[in-house]
Amino acid sequence: MRWPWGRPRMDAFAGLADVPVADGDGGVSGVFLGTSSVLLRDGGTALLTDGFFTRPGWLRVGLGRIAPDREVIDACLRRAGIGHAGSLAAVICVHSHYDHAMDAPVIAERLGAKLVGSHSSANIGRGHGLPEEALRTVEDGETVRFGDFEVTFVVGVHCPGDLAPGVIDAPLSPPARARAYRTGEAYSVFFRHPLGTVLVHGSAGFVPGRLDGHRADIVYLGIGQLGKQDDDYRRRYWAETVRATGAEVVIPIHWDDFTTPLLTAPLRPFPYFADDVAVSMRFLVEQSRRDGVRLVLPTLWRETVLLPAR
C-alpha cells in the first residue's frame, strides 16, 4: 500500500524544464512563483496572479489559524524583482482560497498595486485594511486594462473536491481558519497583449463550452487534484481549456506542495493523500504529444520568454 505522505518522483519530467531565459528583448515574460502565482511583465507593466508566499504548514492549516508572513512576503518580492513600490500594477486573484488570496492585500499595500478579483477577494482586502480605491471587483466577461495588457475575467468553477466553497460576504481579517477563505468566483484570466495572449487557469475545473471563442497562445494550466480525477474528466478538462483556446504552449501550475517554503527548499509535488502529480503529468505529456502542443514545466524564479518581441 502506498504511504499517503509519500510523493511521486518528478525526474522523468525534468527535460520539460528547458526553457529560454528572458533577455530584455521587449517581449512578454513570465516568472513562476509557486502554486498559481505567475508574474507577467512586458518591460512597462507588471501583473501578478495571486502572490501566495507565506505557505503555512499542513498542521497549522488543518488545526490552527493562518495569517500572512510579511517578512517572507517581502523576501519573495525582492527575489522576484518587484520589491519596490510602483513595480507592480495589480495583484489578480484567480479565486479566494487562502493559497491564492491570503497574501494578496499585503502585496498590494506594499507595492501600491490594485487588488483585483471577486467580491470575496475584495473582502479579504477590506479585512486587511485596504482602502476602497485600492480594490477592483470584476464581473464575468469584464476586461480591465493595465498598460498594454487587456485582462479579461471569465467565471468558471473550482476543481472537484473544493474544501471551502461559497463566498466571503464580510471583511475577513487574519489570523483566520483556512476554510474561512472561501472560493468566491473562480476565474480564467486572459492577458491579451499586442504580442499575443496568455491564459492563467488556476484551478482544474471547467464549464463545458465556457472558453469557446476565447483564444490563447499560452496557457498556465492549473493541475491541482487533477491526478485524483478519472481519465474521462482529465480528457474533458484538456479539451475545454487547451484545445478550446487553441493554445500552442501549456505550462502546468498548482502542482507543487504549497506548504513547502519557497526560499529555503526546492519545489516538490503534493503528497499522495492530496494528489498524484505524476498521473497528471503523464496525462499532459500524452495529450500534448497527440495535439502537437509544447509542454513546459516551469522553473521557480526563472524569468522566461513567453511572447517574443516582433
Side-chain angles (χ1 to χ4, degrees), residues 155-205:
V155 173
V157 294
H158 192 271
C159 68
D162 188 345
L163 296 178
V167 299
I168 303 170
D169 55 11
L172 176 61
S173 299
R177 298 286 186 187
R179 291 195 180 189
Y181 289 88
R182 297 183 175 180
T183 313
E185 304 287 1
Y187 296 107
S188 300
V189 187
F190 289 84
F191 297 83
R192 295 187 173 89
H193 189 275
L195 296 174
T197 300
V198 177
L199 165 61
V200 178
H201 186 89
S203 180

Side-chain angles (χ1 to χ4, degrees), residues 100-251:
H100 297 263
M102 184 178 76
D103 291 350
V106 176
I107 298 169
E109 181 182 58
R110 286 278 199 265
L111 303 183
K114 286 278 190 183
L115 176 61
V116 184
S118 68
H119 293 277
S120 293
S121 294
N123 273 326
I124 296 173
R126 292 184 183 104
H128 177 76
L130 289 183
E132 289 299 314
E133 57 267 25
L135 306 174
R136 175 66 184 267
T137 57
V138 292
E139 305 299 333
D140 185 21
E142 186 171 354
T143 297
V144 184
R145 189 175 188 94
F146 297 99
D148 286 335
F149 290 94
E150 291 184 345
V151 185
T152 300
F153 297 80
V154 180
V155 173
V157 294
H158 192 271
C159 68
D162 188 345
L163 296 178
V167 299
I168 303 170
D169 55 11
L172 176 61
S173 299
R177 298 286 186 187
R179 291 195 180 189
Y181 289 88
R182 297 183 175 180
T183 313
E185 304 287 1
Y187 296 107
S188 300
V189 187
F190 289 84
F191 297 83
R192 295 187 173 89
H193 189 275
L195 296 174
T197 300
V198 177
L199 165 61
V200 178
H201 186 89
S203 180
F206 66 90
V207 176
R210 197 70 182 88
L211 300 185
D212 290 356
H214 294 274
R215 308 300 293 172
D217 300 287
I218 296 169
V219 177
Y220 281 95
L221 188 67
I223 62 169
Q225 295 189 314
L226 189 62
K228 284 187 167 290
Q229 311 308 317
D230 60 29
D231 287 339
D232 180 65
Y233 182 93
R234 284 189 284 269
R235 286 192 293 269
R236 288 187 293 141
Y237 180 56
W238 178 272
E240 294 288 347
T241 53
V242 180
R243 205 171 298 148
T245 59
E248 298 176 356
V249 179
V250 169
I251 305 173

Side-chain angles (χ1 to χ4, degrees), residues 28-39:
V28 174
S29 65
V31 185
F32 177 57
L33 302 175
T35 316
S36 56
S37 299
V38 178
L39 175 64

Side-chain angles (χ1 to χ4, degrees), residues 78-94:
R78 290 192 298 270
R79 181 69 178 81
I82 49 170
H84 58 282
S87 59
L88 189 71
V91 188
I92 296 167
C93 297
V94 301

